[in-house]
Amino acid sequence: MSLLPILRFPDVRLKKIAAPVINIDDGIRKLVADMAETMYEAPGIGLAATQVDVHKQVVVIDISEEKNDLRVFINPRLENCTGAQTGEEGCLSVPGIYDKVERAERVTVHYLDLDGKTQRLDAEGLLAVCIQHELDHLNGKVFVDHLSQLKQTRIKSKLAKQARVTA
Ligand code: NI
């Protein structure tokens, strides 16, 4: 396994739309293993392939305290998004920035697992937020896209300053 570099907002590659996975082959299995390692190392609770500059519909999530409940979603599709919840979100592609985003409270997601089997998961609360956040990435969206233009401008200048300091 290897750690993958994570794209940082406002990198234009974060806007690419991910393509469906056709074959779950060794390349996809390696991608999933590398994405999981990268997410745990960061540390984060979710990572979309888009964030590591691979534009395929692959997401890994682990919201457990013990970091022993890896969930892999291939070609995920949301349906039955109901209710509303607002929580503070962050993103490995937007380091150090947190802000409130409104999301559905409950979602159903259909996807393929690593064996290529069709799966269905009903999620609520934090897991539902995380699924919506990661699926946004596959559609070229970052959580700051949900914020006002003013906030987006502030975030861009803050990140640009950080990049100069750490470069
Ligand atoms: Ni993110």
Side-chain angles (χ1 to χ4, degrees):
M1 291 193 290
S2 44
L3 290 176
L4 304 169
I6 298 175
L7 298 179
R8 292 200 171 189
F9 177 82
D11 193 308
V12 291
R13 290 170 290 179
L14 288 169
K15 291 184 186 284
K16 287 195 188 176
I17 310 289
V21 172
I22 309 296
N23 283 315
I24 300 174
D25 55 14
D26 285 348
I28 294 295
R29 282 185 281 272
K30 179 170 187 344
L31 173 66
V32 166
D34 289 347
M35 284 173 61
E37 193 188 8
T38 303
M39 172 182 74
Y40 287 128
E41 167 73 20
I45 60 172
L47 190 69
T50 308
Q51 293 176 273
V52 293
D53 201 22
V54 175
H55 302 282
K56 292 177 182 166
Q57 295 175 10
V58 177
V59 160
V60 295
I61 290 177
D62 188 344
I63 60 163
S64 70
E65 290 278 329
E66 301 80 15
K67 300 294 168 208
N68 59 2
D69 186 23
L70 181 68
R71 296 169 186 269
V72 179
F73 300 89
I74 298 170
N75 300 347
R77 293 280 174 278
L78 279 181
E79 67 174 44
N80 297 332
C81 300
T82 58
Q85 58 178 325
T86 303
E88 190 125 291
E89 292 186 27
C91 178
L92 294 176
S93 293
V94 198
I97 306 288
Y98 301 88
D99 214 323
K100 290 199 171 90
V101 179
E102 187 179 315
R103 301 281 189 184
E105 166 62 25
R106 281 171 299 277
V107 300
T108 299
V109 58
H110 295 263
Y111 61 99
L112 298 178
D113 64 18
L114 269 175
D115 297 319
K117 289 204 186 89
T118 306
Q119 300 284 354
R120 173 207 153 118
L121 173 71
D122 298 310
E124 59 180 16
L126 178 61
L127 182 57
V129 168
C130 200
I131 289 169
Q132 292 169 83
H133 177 119
E134 301 311 331
L135 267 61
D136 265 3
H137 278 301
L138 299 183
N139 290 313
K141 249 180 135 176
V142 180
F143 84 95
V144 298
D145 293 324
H146 292 277
L147 306 176
S148 69
Q149 280 301 325
L150 178 65
K151 280 187 174 174
Q152 290 188 37
T153 305
R154 279 191 194 144
I155 289 167
K156 279 177 196 163
S157 73
K158 194 171 170 187
L159 290 175
K161 270 183 211 148
Q162 279 178 13
R164 278 200 295 277
V165 170
T166 54

